[in-house]
Amino acid sequence: MKGITILGATGSIGISTLDVVRAHAGDYQVVALTANRDVERLLAQCREFAPAYAVMADPSAAARLAGQVQAEGLAVEVLAGSEGLERVAALPQTDYVMAAIVGAAGLLPTLAAARAGKRILLANKEALVMSGHLFMQAVREHGAELLPIDSEHNAIFQCMPQGYRAGMDAQGVRRILLTGSGGPFRDIPVEQLAGVTPEQAIAHPNWSMGRKISVDSATMMNKGLELIEACWLFDVGPDTIEIVVHKESVIHSMVDYLDGSVLAQLGNPDMRTPIAHALAWPRRIDSGVAALDIVTIGQLNFERPDLQRFPCLRLADEAIRAGGTASTILNAANEVAVEAFLQGQLAFTAIAGVIETCMQSISFVEAESLDTILNADTHAREVAMACINSPERHTAS
Ligand code: NAD
Ligand code: MG
């Protein structure tokens, strides 16, 4: 029986994780569940999974949850804020931590899990993008086990040599082929991009996901963040990674070896597959995902990405090459710009312009400490907000 803490339990990945856990109730014990402010859903999850702890990042939501928990007589201790999140990521009875908070808010609890030497099931790619060096160092120093949940990185991990661990040098690998669907705007005329709405952007053709990552998929910043994520997870430079647009989302990524062998992992686009893989690794368990019907799919297509249409891909590539806090700034500016787009305050095509302005106007420094990283994150958010509020500053791209 393994104890599991689920950070971001009420989100798309959190719900899929609980779905797999529900089907293997004898093998996994839910120790803690966390959310930002969705009291109703977290309460329903507490009723079903009876965790010892429930954390709400938002203190007023935590107070409401505590009231409900008490009224119903549930044996759940309710905690609040980032201390609560960090505490449940490091509990002695927790063996596995699903890191599924969206954005920079996930960094501190995920880092706490690394420092406590847990098995980390990493969905929260932003945590790694903003602090790659520091995070991988914490994983190594504290003997944590890092298993990627992002479907592409999980696929790459599965195609790596036997015995491979995240952060190790992989023997015989020539290239990593990182696939992406190209999102909902892969084929629409470029001149229509400026007018697309949040509803259109979050309607992903193949995957059902949270709002932020759906917008990232539409700008292809998601693939840019994944490029950076892959560099850290697999200890390679960006030149070793080739991004391939594959609209069917059936091949989740590939590894090309020196001898000419190319290994791919295939499956239906359903996050329960990588979640079940990482939960049970190195065993295999049923995820509830239907068997892949390759004959009905019939055809798989591949293209190079269009960097004119997707400038965010170029910005992410520049950030990983620049090193230091460049990726932290990229990530923070992107989070602010995506939120402004979702709120109707920024055009879709201005997202890249805001990020580029931040990257050009803030100097990058060595990302040597957590303070440096958190300061760079805060500063980039301020610059991005100022930029959004003065539109003449982000019309560049
Ligand atoms: P989501 O928006 O559906 O869920 C986010 C979760 O984080 C919710 O439980 C929410 O309550 C919590 N949260 C949000 N803000 C918070 C804050 N400030 N403090 C504490 N908790 C907070 O997002 P998602 O689609 O499940 O994605 C989660 C992470 O997984 C992201 O980093 C995303 O990039 C990654 N990911 C998701 C998918 C997918 O299919 N959904 C695939 C690959 C990677
Ligand atoms: Mg992915």
Side-chain angles (χ1 to χ4, degrees):
M1 191 77 146
K2 295 293 183 186
I4 177 164
T5 285
I6 303 177
L7 303 170
T10 57
S12 163
I13 294 287
I15 291 169
S16 293
T17 305
L18 286 170
D19 209 44
V20 178
V21 166
R22 181 185 293 116
H24 299 276
D27 298 323
Y28 305 101
Q29 163 79 47
V30 177
V31 175
L33 296 172
T34 87
N36 191 19
R37 53 170 83 98
D38 186 348
V39 174
E40 279 312 307
R41 199 184 282 271
L42 196 62
L43 181 64
Q45 293 177 341
C46 286
R47 287 187 197 116
E48 182 180 354
F49 293 95
Y53 298 89
V55 188
M56 305 234 61
D58 181 74
S60 66
R64 272 183 287 135
L65 180 70
Q68 294 278 356
V69 158
Q70 197 182 21
E72 295 188 22
L74 301 175
V76 180
E77 186 173 336
V78 177
L79 306 174
S82 65
E83 305 81 38
L85 295 173
E86 288 182 55
R87 185 166 155 210
V88 299
L91 292 167
Q93 63 270 47
T94 289
D95 302 291
Y96 297 175
V97 175
M98 166 54 79
I101 291 174
V102 59
L107 175 61
L108 294 179
T110 308
L111 204 52
R115 289 175 173 159
K118 305 300 187 193
R119 173 182 290 197
I120 301 169
L121 283 55
L122 185 74
N124 180 206
K125 66 193 89 186
E126 296 92 344
L128 193 55
V129 167
M130 65 190 290
S131 75
H133 177 68
L134 209 79
F135 189 85
M136 294 307 293
Q137 195 178 15
V139 166
R140 272 192 302 275
E141 278 177 9
H142 299 276
E145 202 170 43
L146 188 55
L147 291 165
I149 293 298
D150 216 340
S151 56
E152 297 76 5
H153 305 73
N154 184 271
I156 296 162
F157 181 82
Q158 293 198 44
C159 297
M160 283 295 194
Q162 275 234 308
Y164 183 79
R165 300 284 184 279
M168 272 173 39
D169 183 30
Q171 199 270 323
V173 171
R174 177 162 54 194
R175 273 183 323 162
I176 288 172
L177 301 171
L178 180 66
T179 57
S181 70
F185 305 141
R186 189 188 58 232
D187 297 323
I188 74 166
V190 177
E191 57 280 7
Q192 287 177 18
L193 280 178
V196 301
T197 63
E199 290 65 37
Q200 291 172 299
I202 61 181
H204 195 280
N206 306 342
W207 297 93
S208 150
M209 311 181 285
R211 285 154 56 90
K212 192 262 178 183
I213 184 176
S214 296
V215 177
D216 284 346
S217 298
T219 60
M220 282 196 84
M221 179 56 97
N222 185 48
K223 215 44 58 184
L225 297 176
E226 291 184 356
L227 168 76
I228 300 172
E229 182 185 14
C231 287
W232 290 113
L233 284 174
F234 306 114
D235 193 30
V236 295
D239 289 329
T240 303
I241 301 174
E242 185 174 333
I243 295 174
V244 179
V245 174
H246 163 49
K247 66 179 179 199
E248 291 84 6
S249 300
V250 167
I251 292 185
H252 299 308
S253 279
M254 297 172 254
V255 176
D256 175 2
Y257 285 89
L258 289 173
D259 63 7
S261 302
V262 179
L263 302 192
Q265 187 260 3
L266 288 74
N268 286 315
D270 186 320
M271 291 306 293
R272 290 176 301 172
T273 294
I275 290 167
H277 170 266
L279 272 173
W281 184 83
R283 294 185 305 120
R284 297 275 179 177
I285 58 172
D286 186 356
S287 65
V289 177
L292 181 68
D293 182 355
I294 199 86
V295 174
T296 300
I297 293 163
Q299 223 184 42
L300 300 179
N301 291 277
F302 306 96
E303 317 168 13
R304 284 188 211 295
D306 177 349
L307 294 183
Q308 299 295 312
R309 180 184 290 265
F310 299 115
C312 286
L313 266 182
R314 169 179 57 80
L315 294 172
D317 185 73
E318 285 171 16
I320 185 71
R321 287 175 199 278
T325 51
S327 299
T328 317
I329 293 162
L330 172 96
N331 179 66
N334 181 55
E335 284 189 28
V336 172
V338 167
E339 187 53 34
F341 166 69
L342 284 170
Q343 300 299 328
Q345 295 156 0
L346 192 68
F348 181 77
T349 42
I351 294 173
V354 169
I355 300 164
E356 184 148 38
T357 301
C358 287
M359 290 181 65
Q360 283 171 355
S361 59
I362 306 173
S363 353
F364 313 144
V365 296
E366 286 297 311
E368 84 259 335
S369 73
L370 190 55
D371 274 351
T372 310
I373 288 163
L374 296 177
N375 286 338
D377 176 81
T378 306
H379 183 47
R381 280 166 202 273
E382 289 162 3
V383 175
M385 283 307 297
C387 182
I388 289 162
N389 293 327
S390 55
E392 68 284 357
R393 291 187 60 194
H394 59 70
T395 44
S397 40

